[in-house]
Structures are given as C-alpha cells and as structure tokens.
Amino acid sequence: MTDHNIPSTRGAVDLSALANHGPEATDSTPAGAASWTTTLDEAAFQQFVGLSQQVPAIVSLGSPRVQVSADLDATLRKLVDAKGGKFVLGLVDAESYPQIAQAFQAQQIPMVVALIKGQPVPLFQGPAEEAQIAQVFAQLEQLAVQQGMSGTAPAFSGQAGQAEPELPPLHQKAVDAIDAGDYAAAEAAYLEALNEKPNDKDAQVGVYQVRLLSRTHNLDLNKAREQAAQNPEDIAAQLDVADLDVVGGHVEDAFARLVSLISKLADEDRERVRRRLIELYAVIGNADPRVAVSRQKLARVLF
C-alpha cells in the first residue's frame, strides 16, 4: 500500500463532465443488511460526488476481473458498511468506465480516492491489509470532522442494524453545535462534560478539535502562508499556517513548523507554541506514528 498519508482536500480534478443519475447498491450485500456501498457507472457518478458534501465518499477504481482488486473491494465494503453511514463507497470498473479513472488521473489500478466536499483526497494505490485501510479510514474520519462533516448518510440498500450507542448528552450537544457552526457552544458543552468528568479524554480532544475549527474557519490559506513567509518571527502567523496544515492533512508539515519555531523561542513564547503543538498532537491522536516521531524531535529541542 502506498500514499497513505491524508493530504489536503484542495484538488484539481474536474468531475463536472460526468452526468447526473442516482447510484445503485451493489448486489453482493446480504439480503436485508444495510449497505453504504454501491457500484458506479458514468451516469451515477455525479450524484455520488454530491454525497461528499455530507460524508466522505470513497471511490475504488479497479476491476472485478482482477483478484487483487476484487479482494480490496471486499475489504473496503466490509469496513465502510461497518461505519454505519459515516462513509459511502463507490466501486468503479475502471476498464469499463475509463472516463472516471481518467478524471482521477489514475496511473494504475486498484486505486482508492476519497471525495470530501467534492474535492479528491488520494488515499492509496495497490493492495492493502485490512488493518492498514482501517488506519487510513481513521485519519479520513478525523479530517472529515475537521471539515465540519460529522453526520451520516442513508444506506443505499437494506435496513440499518443495531444503532450506534448514543453519545453522552453533553457530547451530543457539542456535536449538534458543530453541525450548526456554533463552535463556542460546542466548546462550552465539551468543557461542561470535562467539569463533570475530568478524565473524559474524548471531551478533552473535542475541546481541541473545536478550537482548531474555530481558529481556521475564516482563515485564507494563501494569505496565511504569505503572512508567515514574510514574517517568520510572527508567532501568530506561524500558528495559523500550522493549524491550516493540520486541517488540510499536511500533518508532518504542521508539526515540523512548530518544532522548528520552538527551537528559536524561549520562556513564554516557547511555552505558548509548545501548548499548541500538544493540542494538535491530541487532535491527530497520540497513537499516530507521526505524533510519535514529532514528539521525539520536540524532546530533542526542549532538552
């Protein structure tokens, strides 16, 4: 598996030429089981792209006549359907519908791409183990939350099974506020949850995620980068770009920027940037290998 780091959602692929028609569910789903997996032709593709405004829409470009591709699609279907609507999956026979593969500039199959709000996010090419795909999906789910996408899509077929466990009331209140774009209310709900249960790790991460969304939702990436480049000693400008890089999936760039900045600072300024970096570690997930690598670099700078 290659290309498993999630990049920015800013893409240049033109998907508008494909016609508009509803996707249909695959015929390989067990009878009665809910499925968020569908087969796509050129006519169905554009409506599938539209679903990416709600949830990440994953496209698998392959061929059912190639065993590696068929095995990958089976694994993708299993993992996507287990998400209960947080993702949708479209399977494309790239040999029968080369126009779709060309739209993604596919150089080989199988190739897996996600769409977030209509923009392509390359995931990986070639075969992959289930555990590797699950890790990529975890990153994609995090990126979706950072983009304000925390809902679910209806199944293409079947009936949903057992519902996901309900969130604690304050967590649900926070999620509802995020969906409404009210980040202040979302942060207040998570902080209230922390006040009730100080060891609520999900609430603490929620606070950091909401703060990140609040800080970045009105920022312009190009202007922020220009400001940071012209003013390398402007701490606020460097923090803005790091935030935008995390939201856009350029996690290593964000971490490297802040570790480098910390190496040049002292006292309160150094601590200010260190605290921001620790928050971003939590947003990405402390088990993420990129966090572990950056922590080692940070330790060398600090000690």
Side-chain angles (χ1 to χ4, degrees), residues 44-68:
F45 189 77
Q46 193 61 30
Q47 186 166 326
F48 185 79
V49 173
L51 292 174
S52 72
Q53 298 294 331
Q54 306 171 42
V55 297
I58 299 168
V59 179
S60 177
L61 301 162
S63 169
R65 293 166 292 282
V66 176
Q67 191 60 47
V68 169

Side-chain angles (χ1 to χ4, degrees), residues 42-110:
E42 292 174 357
F45 189 77
Q46 193 61 30
Q47 186 166 326
F48 185 79
V49 173
L51 292 174
S52 72
Q53 298 294 331
Q54 306 171 42
V55 297
I58 299 168
V59 179
S60 177
L61 301 162
S63 169
R65 293 166 292 282
V66 176
Q67 191 60 47
V68 169
S69 182
D71 291 345
L72 176 62
D73 284 350
T75 302
L76 290 169
R77 182 186 298 111
K78 173 185 174 183
L79 293 174
V80 167
D81 288 349
K83 290 288 184 181
K86 290 183 178 180
F87 297 162
V88 292
L89 171 63
L91 307 179
V92 177
D93 184 342
E95 295 176 344
S96 299
Y97 304 106
Q99 185 179 354
I100 299 177
Q102 290 166 7
F104 288 106
Q105 302 171 0
Q107 300 298 314
Q108 68 175 72
I109 61 171

